[in-house]
Amino acid sequence: MQRILTGIQSTGIPHLGNLLGSIHPALALAKKSPHPALFFIADLHTLTTQHHPQKIKHFTYATAAAWLAAGFDTQKDHLYRQSHIPQVCELTWYLTCFTPYPMLSNAHAFKDKAKQLSHVTAGLFTYPILMAADILLYHATHIPVGKDQQQHIEITRDIARTFNHQYGPLLTIPQAQIKQNVAIIPGTDGRKMSKSYHNTINIFDPEPTLAKTIMQIKTDSTPLNQPKNPDTCPLFNLFQLLATPTDAQQMRTNYLTPGYGYQAAKKELLHLILTTFSEQRKTFTHYMQAPHLLEKILQASEAKVTPIAMKTLSTLRKAIGIRP
Ligand code: ADP
Ligand code: TRP
């Protein structure tokens, strides 16, 4: 059975990179599947870098509201908090005992994050094992993620294979689903859009804040009266991702036309974002003002996924030899 699963940390309000790189492709994939998809808020992963209780609470709701705004199907699919299914921690321990230490110390995401921090916790180091448990606990088959998560899925596959080698084919080997055209959405400085680079475009921000962000997108210094190169410009790249092919072609022509400036292109991008996400922005605000509705949706899903987690663990405990 095809089981689609993905998670997003509650480290902030989901940004355009999260939406285009992860949430939208995940929802599109789920729509095509007759089976319920599993989407979750990786609040235990959030703890590796965020220790402020109020922020964790707020961003957990904001992440849930973003999934709902993006079109999450409350009738078919599940949206839950990772921490509310504590079985994931037990599985993490079993998998930890099958994970070679060098595999973790060589992980790109760990090395990148560790470089930016003054002290590095064991939680950050074992982050990929918790992620493997997120996936393997539910026998997930298809994992829609951005390209930065590819190595984590490879690690998950390796751990599952090692475990299966010992106990037989108990864990399902998952596959990453990476959409190439949205694999790396650029941020306002042209690097990968990421909360850790402070270069995000937050489509759920109030309009004046969003406008300010768009106006800050970095462009080169080609003078107004000269043609500009759309193919090396993050601003054009962002426009193209959201526009119809005809509008993207028109923007390409504008770039090649002397006299068309980056200021005008930025205004068009802002307009495009506001129209594209108009309904999503309203739905997001609606849910953020009604946390009891979010609680209801999350709790209903948590009740549905718990039995799946319990079943997996019951099989694994027996196989390992710690239950008769
Ligand atoms: P951030 O880097 O901002 O902390 P997360 O690590 O929370 O983002 O990412 C959540 C999901 O969104 C992951 O599947 C990730 O691959 C995807 N994602 C994040 N940023 C981008 C981006 N710039 N382009 C494409 N996908 C992205
Ligand atoms: N590590 C992922 C990220 O930062 C979030 C995540 C946690 C995840 N567990 C997962 C993604 C399981 C897919 C499947 O984006």
Side-chain angles (χ1 to χ4, degrees):
M1 181 178 101
Q2 185 192 49
R3 178 161 276 154
I4 298 157
L5 173 145
T6 199
I8 292 213
Q9 291 188 70
S10 45
T11 42
I13 296 175
H15 53 71
L16 190 60
N18 298 143
L19 281 160
L20 299 183
S22 173
I23 298 180
H24 288 180
L27 289 170
L29 205 63
K31 215 172 205 169
K32 285 192 264 165
S33 170
H35 307 293
L38 274 63
F39 300 131
F40 66 95
I41 302 154
D43 52 356
L44 295 175
H45 278 111
T46 303
L47 261 182
T48 58
T49 51
Q50 172 60 262
H51 294 164
H52 196 297
Q54 287 312 321
K55 280 193 184 162
I56 293 198
K57 202 170 164 194
H58 178 71
F59 292 146
T60 295
Y61 281 152
T63 308
W67 275 101
L68 287 155
F72 168 79
D73 181 349
T74 49
Q75 298 304 308
K76 177 170 84 67
D77 299 328
H78 304 312
L79 178 65
Y80 58 96
R81 287 162 286 200
Q82 179 190 34
S83 61
H84 281 54
I85 320 294
Q87 287 81 5
V88 78
C89 296
E90 185 178 334
L91 179 56
T92 299
W93 180 251
Y94 301 150
L95 301 179
T96 302
C97 299
F98 284 85
T99 307
Y101 181 90
M103 195 155 83
L104 298 181
S105 48
N106 288 329
H108 307 307
F110 171 71
K111 287 200 279 192
D112 289 351
K113 281 198 180 155
K115 254 192 269 165
Q116 297 169 30
L117 297 170
S118 53
H119 61 278
V120 176
T121 65
L124 191 68
F125 186 67
T126 56
Y127 182 115
I129 315 181
L130 176 58
M131 182 157 164
D134 288 330
I135 298 170
L136 301 173
L137 187 59
Y138 303 100
H139 298 286
T141 56
H142 294 71
I143 320 296
V145 279
K147 201 166 169 47
D148 58 327
Q149 296 300 315
Q150 187 163 17
Q151 194 186 32
H152 285 155
I153 309 296
E154 286 303 325
I155 293 176
T156 302
R157 290 164 60 90
D158 277 358
I159 298 174
R161 280 198 210 99
T162 314
F163 192 94
N164 284 351
H165 183 72
Q166 178 70 30
Y167 301 114
L170 297 178
L171 299 175
T172 305
I173 312 291
Q175 265 178 26
Q177 301 285 301
I178 298 170
K179 263 192 93 187
Q180 285 312 324
N181 65 327
V182 291
I184 303 177
I185 308 291
T188 52
D189 58 0
R191 293 188 292 169
K192 176 205 163 218
M193 187 181 298
S194 170
K195 278 159 279 190
S196 25
Y197 296 150
H198 305 290
N199 65 353
T200 57
I201 297 174
N202 298 317
I203 62 130
F204 298 120
D205 268 349
E207 194 175 325
T209 318
L210 187 55
K212 214 170 136 198
T213 309
I214 301 296
M215 293 306 154
Q216 280 165 354
I217 295 176
K218 215 162 128 187
T219 47
D220 65 21
S221 51
T222 312
L224 186 64
N225 60 3
Q226 279 182 26
K228 292 158 195 73
N229 185 353
D231 297 316
T232 54
C233 182
L235 175 60
F236 178 79
N237 190 346
L238 287 164
F239 187 87
Q240 193 179 31
L241 283 165
L242 299 173
T244 61
T246 319
D247 290 349
Q249 190 52 42
Q250 178 58 50
M251 182 57 89
R252 179 175 285 281
T253 310
N254 293 345
Y255 263 65
L256 301 174
T257 310
Y260 186 85
Y262 289 128
Q263 195 74 359
K266 285 177 180 176
K267 282 194 183 140
E268 288 205 46
L269 176 63
L270 175 64
H271 178 71
L272 182 59
I273 290 178
L274 288 171
T275 47
T276 307
F277 294 103
S278 152
E279 281 310 308
Q280 298 199 24
R281 285 163 57 82
K282 280 188 212 147
T283 312
F284 179 84
T285 309
H286 164 73
Y287 279 111
M288 287 309 277
Q289 286 167 351
H292 63 285
L293 291 181
L294 292 172
E295 272 298 334
K296 212 169 139 195
I297 292 167
L298 291 167
Q299 285 174 20
S301 290
E302 283 149 10
K304 288 212 172 108
V305 301
T306 296
I308 310 175
M310 305 243 278
K311 190 164 170 232
T312 307
L313 273 187
S314 144
T315 309
L316 298 188
R317 285 178 193 141
K318 278 186 204 143
I320 290 169
I322 54 178
R323 286 289 191 287

